[in-house]
Amino acid sequence: MSGSSFSKTTKLPPTTTTGFPLHFDNSFTNDLPGDLLVPTAPYDMLPAGDDSGEIPVPQSKFRASRQVRGALWSWAVPIEHENPQLVGVSSSGAQLIGLKSEDFWRDPQLAAAVWSGNQRLPGSHPWAHCYGGHQFGVWADQLGDGRAISLGQVLNNTGDVWEVQLKGAGRTPYSRFADGYAVRRSSIREYLAAEHMNALGVPTSRSLTLVFTDRVVEREEPELGAIVTRLAPSWVRFGSFELPASRGDFNLLRKLADYVIHHHYYSELIQPAADDKSGGGGVYIRLLQVVVERTAAMVAAWQAVGFCHGVMNTDNMSILGLTIDYGPYAFLDAYDPDFICNHSDPAGRYAFREQPHVALWNLVRLAGPLSRLVGQDPEEDASSETLEAVTKALNSFGSEYSRKYAELMRR
């Protein structure tokens, strides 16, 4: 979509002052490089006392598709939705960010406005992630959050951080040829699936709210729109590492890896191993090892409960080993190892029986960028010691998967 399709100024959603007391601790946008085309957060551009909500930045900078380099995210502005209606609230999801379901149903109109993106929470500075990925085994270059907008990272009263994300909130610089919206059918499925998987004990993102809108969304046939609010400690994916590595931006790659280690794997990885002879680079091998273990445990849980993801592209693989991006998923009605849940996958790449193999294939794609960070010069080929360590980490997938699968099936 060309920039000429958008207005020369951008209207920001108004900020609500009541209803949802959340503490935002946005380390991702504070610590990591963002899109230089819009270097200042939109709400920081508003002059004091200006109630118009309009900033002199062309809307195209937030909504027109473009290549974003040297950055891991871009500021985003949710689009206004007509007649949002609060349909569902996950009480256990709300507890994760220090809220109760009553906080939403006390004023469902306000809740619908906030959780559709029509109103902004104080302290929220929305953004969209920049990443790439392999789709059906083929490198797709830059992808990014095309219809997901993160409202921010919420710090709860136990010290846990949850990144709150609207799916279906409108276009971002990563929308490519899509409209940035979601329909009711797919939003209901994602809202229910994440909470069901959590109840089954499967590592997963979580759901917070489901909001319907009166927006008509063009798909194979017109459908009505919806926005699902979803939660995860992080929405960083394998593809978040692949994109900067593919561009030779190893400084950006290292910043992302260090961020993930410090904020999500601190207790497991921050102390270098006693036998680390790679000048500190061994921590990236250990990061790979723990992601291998978590991914193996996640996929073993899928196979144990009969879950078929359907779109195991590397941009849909969580760096935390969580099930994310529920699309054409399905559960087996009866055991069928050749079951395919995605009509766009006629060759069966992501068939039920193939999921462990694809998970390992995806981990190999992640291992490439991480291995570049071991040693002094990422431009040089990996040393034999590094290749041996990477191979050992990847080879542990099979035993980790088998151990976890057997454990689950013996219950």
Side-chain angles (χ1 to χ4, degrees), residues 222-283:
E223 300 186 49
L224 291 176
I227 301 99
V228 62
T229 304
R230 54 191 195 172
L231 310 171
S234 173
W235 292 100
V236 172
R237 301 128 188 281
F238 289 12
S240 303
F241 294 82
E242 288 182 282
L243 184 60
S246 74
R247 293 170 167 175
D249 193 343
F250 299 113
N251 183 49
L252 186 64
L253 174 64
R254 189 180 301 275
K255 287 180 179 179
L256 175 62
D258 290 346
Y259 174 88
V260 168
I261 291 168
H262 183 80
H263 288 274
H264 300 291
Y265 289 111
Y266 187 92
S267 60
E268 296 166 87
L269 301 177
I270 204 65
Q271 295 298 326
D275 59 350
D276 181 9
K277 299 179 176 64
S278 56
V283 70

Side-chain angles (χ1 to χ4, degrees), residues 35 110 167 232 355 359 386 401:
D35 185 356
L110 171 64
K167 185 174 181 179
Q355 292 185 136
T386 296
Y401 168 80

Side-chain angles (χ1 to χ4, degrees), residues 21-277:
L22 299 175
H23 175 63
F24 286 96
D25 178 25
N26 295 322
S27 62
F28 191 86
T29 54
N30 290 336
D31 295 354
L32 294 172
D35 185 356
L36 291 177
L37 189 62
V38 185
T40 304
Y43 284 91
D44 289 343
M45 299 181 194
L46 285 172
D50 185 347
D51 297 325
S52 69
E54 194 167 81
I55 57 175
V57 178
Q59 197 180 40
S60 61
K61 291 191 176 182
F62 300 108
R63 306 204 195 284
S65 300
R66 54 186 168 84
Q67 289 291 302
V68 176
R69 296 183 177 273
L72 294 162
W73 55 271
S74 299
W75 296 121
V77 179
I79 201 164
E80 184 176 1
H81 295 273
E82 182 180 352
N83 190 28
Q85 309 132 53
L86 183 66
V87 175
V89 178
S90 167
S91 57
S92 59
Q95 290 174 8
L96 295 174
I97 57 172
L99 299 175
K100 300 178 180 178
S101 59
E102 306 92 85
D103 297 326
F104 298 80
W105 294 114
R106 186 178 300 115
D107 188 343
Q109 188 173 1
L110 171 64
V114 169
W115 302 106
S116 66
N118 279 8
Q119 291 193 31
R120 171 206 180 224
L121 292 163
S124 169
H125 290 284
W127 79 87
H129 285 263
C130 179
Y131 49 82
H134 281 82
Q135 299 192 323
F136 292 89
V138 179
W139 176 243
D141 204 63
Q142 179 180 296
L143 298 167
D145 287 339
R147 60 173 174 170
I149 295 177
S150 293
L151 299 182
Q153 293 166 291
V154 173
L155 179 66
N156 67 17
N157 52 15
T158 63
D160 296 322
V161 174
W162 291 88
E163 186 175 329
V164 182
Q165 192 173 78
L166 303 181
K167 185 174 181 179
R171 287 183 58 85
T172 75
Y174 311 106
S175 296
R176 295 181 291 166
F177 300 106
D179 55 21
Y181 304 132
V183 299
R184 295 183 179 184
R185 171 176 45 87
S186 60
S187 299
I188 292 170
R189 282 170 52 82
E190 175 151 7
Y191 174 80
L192 294 175
E195 294 307 278
H196 180 59
M197 291 281 273
N198 177 69
L200 291 174
V202 180
T204 179
S205 60
R206 300 295 303 276
S207 298
L208 179 61
T209 62
L210 177 63
V211 172
F212 284 175
T213 76
D214 287 347
R215 180 183 298 280
V216 177
V217 181
E218 296 296 333
R219 292 295 181 260
E220 293 179 358
E221 58 184 43
E223 300 186 49
L224 291 176
I227 301 99
V228 62
T229 304
R230 54 191 195 172
L231 310 171
S234 173
W235 292 100
V236 172
R237 301 128 188 281
F238 289 12
S240 303
F241 294 82
E242 288 182 282
L243 184 60
S246 74
R247 293 170 167 175
D249 193 343
F250 299 113
N251 183 49
L252 186 64
L253 174 64
R254 189 180 301 275
K255 287 180 179 179
L256 175 62
D258 290 346
Y259 174 88
V260 168
I261 291 168
H262 183 80
H263 288 274
H264 300 291
Y265 289 111
Y266 187 92
S267 60
E268 296 166 87
L269 301 177
I270 204 65
Q271 295 298 326
D275 59 350
D276 181 9
K277 299 179 176 64

